[in-house]
Amino acid sequence: MGQEVLSENWAEEERLAVVPLEGASASTPDVSVGLMGGRSSDVSPVKHQNFGLEVEKENDDFFGGSSSGSRNGSRGLAGLQNLGNTCFMNSALQCLAHTPELVEYFLQDYDDEINPANPLGMEGELAVAFGELIRKLWAGREVVVPRPFKNKLSRFAPQFSGYNQHDSQELLAFLLDGLHEDLNRVKSKPYIEVKDIDGRPDGEVADEYWAIHKARNNSIIVDLFQGQYKSTLVCPVCAKVSVTFDPFMYLSLPLPEKQQLMSVAVTVFSGDGSASPEVHTVQIPGPKQARPKDLIHALSVACTLEENEYLFVVEVYNNRIYRVISECPSAPLSLANGDRLAAFRLKSFPGKTTKLILYHGTLEETIGKQFKLYGSPLVTAIPEAGLSEGAELYNLVAKVVSPLRREAEVNSSPEDWPFRLFITDDKASTVDLLIDPHMPLPTFNFSPREHRYLILVWSPSAKDQYGFKELENLAPVTIPDSRRREPISLYACLEAFMREEPLGPDDMWFCPKCKEHRQASKKLDLWRLPEILVVHLKRFSYSRYSNKLETLVDFPVHDLDLSKYVSHRTDPYELFAVSNHYGGVGGGHYTAYAKLCNENKWYNFDDSCVNPMSPDSIKTTAAYVLFYRRKRLGTNPAPDPCVSRGVSSLSMI
């Protein structure tokens, strides 16, 4: 019996999905009063003229009274059934379903505003399905099955078909755009050429851009959710400035890292053998902010680098130089736990120099021409004049390794060198030639070349004369956990969003003056704020590795003041909904916190489960998308500067 009832319910849901309903009768209920906690009205039969249907709806009071299956007569407290990994959809829908102005619109007669012929829309069907879902959520039900809406969504947005987990913000972006196109009051979009903006005041140009935008895009979504920002591009070559004023539906804010410091221990060797190895622990910016130049500067100060010296910093792996860090001082440092670093103080010589890199092995560990290496390499520099005799090379190497000599053996040096030198490559994978210390170097030209590699093969008795502790015990790097960081304010995120930055190499700008693509600098400024401000916190990154930031963002609940970020007067904003994400990249779980405005109480919407919650619990590391509503201070707001130009005041500051 239970299965039969379930099948009948699904059949009814599918029937409504094929031909959804929307709008209200001519006797529109006074929902605005009910929404704010006052009286309410019944909802009459719905007629969708464009689709030629008339279907009776529940004769329920959407904001008061009681009905079968209601939560003690409360409206707006219906859960959404999870259809299988649809928590992302449920979270976004609950946030929109608790946007008072949007609910008011969809509970009234909006039939005349549907634009089924819009080629950019969804034939009006997405708006119909959404409006029908809003009516069910405010009909006093315990749980609503959003299958008709999900089917429509899958039809028009195949990326959301099936039952894979998706991003609530991506769904929200598609849904708002789709609703706008389905409800666009502009049936035929005019072509309007933008005038030359050179020399005109920003305010005049911004109003003109906004008027042009509204002439082509005019819907309840634009009225409520769209604002405008100023985009400034500056050419780095000719200093050409380009300014545009573009609409936005939501703000995607980065989560800036506070200046997180990490300690890095580096063994510093003398390139000419004039000093013993020293371990220096320095403070540099955190792992995502650090650059090689930061490490080089800190080490230079720590070891009191001379004016005629420079640091050659490397990462050592498997007793070889894995990479030369100091060659790209402005690139990301990209350290990982367990990395081992070494730095070499080298003399600056006039002209070109050769860096001589010395690997270490022992005679008893040779197998044919293969050597087993150990310890850290050593590095020295050879001036442009180069070397010509084998003895010169051996004496140079002996000086480089002299700080490793044991003190008791300093005054009892052997007559011969306790090592032999072999020519090799950067990975020490081949051995080309044994260098005879008593012969010239005709076949081994030490004329200027960037790097040359030798294997220094120690005699069995060398370990009695030299100490190799410093070579074998390079300190490992320890990276602090960057996923959990100190709390940051929402204002810091906004300032990071507005900070001037160069465009990426894949996002070059064509400069109209240079007639070339340039890596211009770009700056965004807020110009016009919407009634409903949606803020997306960019917790996910998909660059080299997928990552989610678990940073706690301290966002205002009652008074988000953006006055300092815009040129117009603006009232503060109040938070009314949050889309939350728990877990890692590619999975996890979404919920929503939403405020029931007529009760002034917060609730946790976790799919079909709805429970009251304390406002003190709203701020968590799971907060992903924030929904703010403009607070009207006083009864006489400032006059709208664009009313005379025919621009809707709902989206103005």
Side-chain angles (χ1 to χ4, degrees):
M1 182 63 179
Q3 181 62 40
E4 293 176 358
V5 173
L6 181 61
S7 299
E8 290 174 1
N9 290 340
W10 279 20
E12 173 66 12
E13 297 285 2
E14 295 294 344
R15 184 186 70 77
L16 292 175
V18 174
V19 189
L21 310 174
E22 109 168 15
S25 70
S27 58
T28 303
D30 185 3
V31 294
S32 61
V33 178
L35 197 65
M36 302 313 294
R39 65 182 180 85
S40 58
S41 305
D42 294 342
V43 175
S44 304
V46 176
K47 175 180 288 187
H48 189 305
Q49 298 174 0
N50 292 325
F51 289 86
L53 294 178
E54 183 170 338
V55 179
E56 289 289 333
K57 297 296 297 174
E58 301 97 329
N59 193 28
D60 284 338
D61 169 12
F62 282 86
F63 301 100
S66 63
S67 66
S68 175
S70 69
R71 298 176 185 270
N72 298 323
S74 295
R75 298 297 186 265
L77 293 181
L80 285 168
Q81 181 178 312
N82 192 319
L83 305 176
N85 280 330
T86 56
C87 59
F88 75 97
M89 180 182 77
N90 293 347
S91 174
L93 288 174
Q94 290 287 14
C95 292
L96 292 179
H98 290 83
T99 305
E101 294 83 354
L102 194 65
V103 174
E104 176 183 345
Y105 176 88
F106 278 101
L107 294 185
Q108 296 187 47
D109 184 356
Y110 60 98
D111 182 82
D112 291 339
E113 299 217 321
I114 290 186
N115 188 348
N118 186 353
L120 300 178
M122 320 294 166
E123 303 172 7
E125 295 185 25
L126 185 66
V128 170
F130 180 78
E132 197 61 26
L133 181 63
I134 292 296
R135 287 175 171 272
K136 292 177 181 178
L137 287 172
W138 283 90
R141 301 184 180 186
E142 289 272 353
V143 178
V144 173
V145 181
R147 192 176 305 279
F149 177 82
K150 174 67 164 61
N151 291 340
K152 286 298 180 187
L153 180 68
S154 300
R155 174 187 169 190
F156 293 107
Q159 66 269 31
F160 297 116
S161 62
Y163 298 97
N164 293 325
Q165 181 69 283
H166 293 281
D167 188 302
S168 68
Q169 187 272 332
E170 291 179 2
L171 171 70
L172 181 70
F174 171 82
L175 181 55
L176 289 177
D177 186 65
L179 291 175
H180 157 64
E181 296 296 350
D182 271 3
L183 299 170
N184 197 346
R185 303 173 186 119
V186 180
K187 309 305 180 185
S188 178
K189 295 188 177 183
Y191 172 76
I192 305 175
E193 187 173 350
V194 180
K195 298 178 183 178
D196 186 11
I197 66 173
D198 288 343
R200 292 197 288 157
D202 280 351
E204 178 184 332
V205 176
D207 290 348
E208 182 178 292
Y209 269 71
W210 187 249
I212 293 173
H213 174 66
K214 287 297 296 283
R216 296 170 54 85
N217 302 274
N218 188 356
S219 70
I220 183 63
I221 303 301
V222 174
D223 293 342
L224 295 179
F225 291 92
Q226 286 198 357
Q228 187 183 38
Y229 61 77
K230 175 184 176 183
S231 175
T232 305
L233 291 169
V234 180
C235 178
V237 177
C238 70
K240 167 68 177 178
V241 178
S242 173
V243 176
T244 58
F245 293 86
D246 302 309
F248 67 84
M249 192 83 78
Y250 52 86
L251 297 178
S252 284
L253 304 186
L255 272 59
E257 294 188 29
K258 283 190 173 181
Q259 190 65 14
Q260 183 186 22
L261 298 178
M262 63 177 180
S263 298
V264 178
V266 182
T267 302
V268 179
F269 298 90
S270 171
D272 60 3
S274 60
S276 299
E278 295 180 338
V279 178
H280 292 280
T281 300
V282 295
Q283 296 282 318
I284 61 173
K288 291 188 177 181
Q289 300 170 315
R291 299 291 184 265
K293 61 184 180 182
D294 301 319
L295 178 61
I296 294 170
H297 174 74
L299 286 173
S300 300
V301 173
C303 69
T304 318
L305 199 69
E306 301 290 339
E307 290 186 2
N308 64 338
E309 292 180 312
Y310 64 96
L311 288 177
F312 184 70
V313 185
V314 301
E315 179 184 342
V316 177
Y317 176 73
N318 201 20
N319 310 113
R320 297 162 174 82
I321 291 181
Y322 176 70
R323 62 177 173 134
V324 180
I325 292 174
S326 52
E327 284 185 339
C328 302
S330 297
L333 187 54
S334 300
L335 294 179
N337 282 315
D339 288 349
R340 286 171 164 79
L341 308 182
F344 304 91
R345 301 177 64 151
L346 303 180
K347 297 291 185 181
S348 298
F349 296 110
K352 298 180 179 180
T353 60
T354 296
K355 294 182 181 66
L356 187 63
I357 295 157
L358 307 172
Y359 293 142
H360 302 274
T362 56
L363 290 173
E364 67 266 26
E365 292 173 344
T366 60
I367 305 175
K369 289 189 176 181
Q370 298 297 318
F371 298 90
K372 181 178 179 181
L373 303 185
Y374 65 91
S376 169
L378 294 176
V379 180
T380 189
I382 301 175
E384 186 172 13
L387 302 174
S388 58
E389 298 292 330
E392 290 183 86
L393 178 61
Y394 273 77
N395 286 333
L396 174 64
V397 173
K399 185 177 180 181
V400 172
V401 301
S402 62
L404 305 179
R405 291 279 297 272
R406 300 183 190 278
E407 292 186 8
E409 302 291 337
V410 169
N411 297 321
S412 58
S413 300
E415 296 181 359
D416 201 2
W417 297 279
F419 53 80
R420 287 294 180 264
L421 300 176
F422 292 81
I423 301 174
T424 187
D425 58 16
D426 60 335
K427 295 180 175 59
S429 57
T430 62
V431 178
D432 297 331
L433 181 67
L434 169 64
I435 300 175
D436 191 331
H438 305 291
M439 298 289 291
L441 299 171
T443 59
F444 188 66
N445 184 8
F446 271 92
S447 60
R449 182 174 169 180
E450 190 173 0
H451 299 154
R452 296 304 299 260
Y453 297 85
L454 299 177
I455 293 182
L456 192 156
V457 181
W458 293 89
S459 66
S461 62
K463 289 187 177 181
D464 296 330
Q465 305 171 28
Y466 290 80
F468 300 97
K469 180 179 178 181
E470 291 86 352
L471 297 179
E472 296 174 333
N473 295 320
L474 297 182
V477 171
T478 302
I479 302 297
D481 186 356
S482 62
R483 295 173 300 173
R484 294 189 178 274
R485 300 177 294 176
E486 292 297 316
I488 58 175
S489 72
L490 185 63
Y491 296 109
C493 298
L494 184 61
E495 289 164 6
F497 169 79
M498 299 171 65
R499 188 175 300 131
E500 183 175 358
E501 291 183 344
L503 295 175
D506 298 328
D507 192 24
M508 305 283 273
W509 171 64
F510 184 80
C511 175
K513 186 175 180 181
C514 296
K515 307 298 182 184
E516 297 276 351
H517 283 91
R518 302 295 190 191
Q519 193 171 1
S521 63
K522 182 176 183 179
K523 188 178 188 311
L524 296 177
D525 293 287
L526 296 180
W527 189 264
R528 198 182 307 266
L529 296 178
E531 289 295 300
I532 305 298
L533 179 64
V534 180
V535 178
H536 166 224
L537 303 177
K538 297 173 69 173
R539 293 194 177 277
F540 299 101
S541 62
Y542 303 93
S543 52
R544 184 176 178 184
Y545 303 103
S546 297
N547 184 40
K548 181 190 175 186
L549 297 176
E550 300 285 354
T551 308
L552 178 64
V553 177
D554 185 8
F555 49 87
V557 174
H558 299 292
D559 291 294
L560 174 63
D561 185 5
L562 301 178
S563 300
K564 64 179 289 189
Y565 303 106
V566 293
S567 59
H568 307 287
R569 183 197 63 80
T570 179
D571 294 324
Y573 285 83
E574 185 171 34
L575 187 76
F576 68 89
V578 181
S579 176
N580 301 302
H581 178 268
Y582 300 89
V585 178
H589 182 60
Y590 287 91
T591 68
Y593 297 156
K595 182 180 179 181
L596 203 61
C597 291
N598 59 320
E599 295 183 0
N600 197 29
K601 293 180 180 179
W602 282 86
Y603 291 86
N604 178 12
F605 293 83
D606 188 352
D607 288 331
S608 58
C609 298
V610 180
N611 293 295
M613 63 174 295
S614 169
D616 297 334
S617 305
I618 295 172
K619 299 180 186 180
T620 72
T621 58
Y624 183 43
V625 185
L626 311 176
F627 290 75
Y628 282 94
R629 181 173 178 239
R630 191 195 298 274
K631 296 171 65 177
R632 292 298 183 187
L633 301 181
T635 57
N636 297 312
D640 190 324
C642 287
V643 169
S644 59
R645 300 181 179 90
V647 181
S648 170
S649 63
L650 278 174
S651 295
M652 300 297 299
I653 291 177

